[in-house]
Amino acid sequence: MENYRRIMANNREWVKKIVESDPGYFDKLSKGQQPTFLFIGCSDSRAPAEVITGTEPGEMFVHRNIANQVQPADLNVLSVLQYGVEVLDIKHVIVCGHYGCGGVRAAMAEPFHGLVDYWIGGIRNIIRLNRHALEGMGGDEERFKRIVELNVLEQVYNLSQTPVVQQAWDKGPRPLLHGVVYDLHSGLLQELVVGLDSNKKAQEFFTPQLRMSLHGA
Ligand code: CO
């Protein structure tokens, strides 16, 4: 209970500090949201969207799940995406993976983790499709990092193929899709793909060879 009490006390302290410096802060925020970013990240407690990007309440619409997946039939992420793009008019959609991801590590091991094995099946496919390239790499850590990166790319590709993004791109260059990786050791974000805002750009980036290595087609 002590831990729980601590976060309740933190909340009151936070409110007090904000109201002292800006008495109208919560009034303003309660009128509505117009976030610029949709962040799709991992549930990992060490990669909190707003903290690592220095964004304030109201700036970032957030969806997190194990291993930052954008699965084409996941109603949860698709609903967030649709609401974000069509209603909130989000400008940037960012898929953020992270090195040391437990979901990716689980996909590299034998499938004995229970329900989560279904969730990370796509990452197992990425590993299978890249077996030769991965086996040729220096060590486990390097392989692990590469799979984290390929997983982010796969999710950005999946995003680009959703009806929501396709319909938005039919109308104009918005939203912009980005793929980044957070490094737990340095705290830095590394950019893997930046500013996809059309099918043309998506096709240029996701070459047939890259697509083959992500999902085999
Ligand atoms: Co993770």
Side-chain angles (χ1 to χ4, degrees):
M1 272 309 265
E2 210 178 299
N3 294 337
Y4 171 77
R5 287 290 164 222
R6 175 169 59 86
I7 64 170
M8 290 297 119
N10 286 349
N11 169 255
R12 286 187 290 273
E13 193 57 32
W14 173 71
V15 170
K16 197 170 145 236
K17 266 193 206 148
I18 287 181
V19 172
E20 270 169 16
S21 67
D22 181 1
Y25 181 85
F26 291 105
D27 267 349
K28 269 180 269 160
L29 266 189
S30 67
K31 293 204 166 74
Q33 62 168 336
Q34 278 187 304
T36 310
F37 309 97
L38 164 58
F39 181 100
I40 300 172
C42 181
S43 297
D44 194 297
S45 61
R46 300 164 297 176
E50 292 88 347
V51 177
I52 67 175
T53 58
T55 44
E56 297 294 325
E59 284 190 274
M60 194 172 263
F61 203 48
V62 174
H63 176 83
R64 291 167 69 186
N65 61 44
I66 291 177
N68 42 274
Q69 298 292 285
V70 179
Q71 297 181 2
D74 174 15
L75 281 179
N76 191 343
V77 71
L78 294 179
S79 304
V80 169
L81 179 67
Q82 184 184 12
Y83 189 75
V85 171
E86 294 180 3
V87 180
L88 299 175
D89 196 24
I90 294 275
K91 181 155 190 207
H92 301 275
V93 183
I94 303 162
V95 175
C96 179
H98 67 103
Y99 296 128
C101 183
V104 172
R105 189 187 285 116
M108 293 169 74
E110 291 297 317
F112 300 127
H113 305 91
L115 191 59
V116 74
D117 287 316
Y118 293 99
W119 184 250
I120 57 180
I123 308 175
R124 284 189 200 283
N125 280 338
I126 294 174
I127 295 169
R128 185 172 50 80
L129 291 163
N130 291 275
R131 181 133 290 158
H132 290 300
L134 291 167
E135 279 168 1
M137 295 180 85
D140 281 349
E141 198 54 35
E142 201 185 332
R143 259 190 289 281
F144 188 7
K145 282 187 155 184
R146 185 63 188 146
I147 299 166
V148 165
E149 292 163 3
L150 290 169
N151 177 49
V152 168
L153 294 178
E154 167 71 356
Q155 309 319 317
V156 174
Y157 180 77
N158 289 349
L159 259 182
S160 76
Q161 297 304 297
T162 57
V164 171
V165 169
Q166 287 290 314
Q167 282 164 21
W169 283 354
D170 280 345
K171 293 180 206 146
R174 194 178 171 116
L176 283 78
L177 310 185
H178 316 277
V180 301
V181 181
Y182 179 65
D183 188 332
L184 294 170
H185 291 284
S186 67
L188 293 171
L189 288 169
Q190 184 191 329
E191 296 177 277
L192 300 179
V193 52
V194 182
L196 301 183
D197 60 4
S198 66
N199 269 317
K200 186 170 172 287
K201 278 196 193 158
Q203 274 167 17
E204 279 166 9
F205 182 82
F206 291 104
T207 59
Q209 194 190 357
L210 178 55
R211 290 211 314 270
M212 192 62 82
S213 80
L214 295 174
H215 47 262

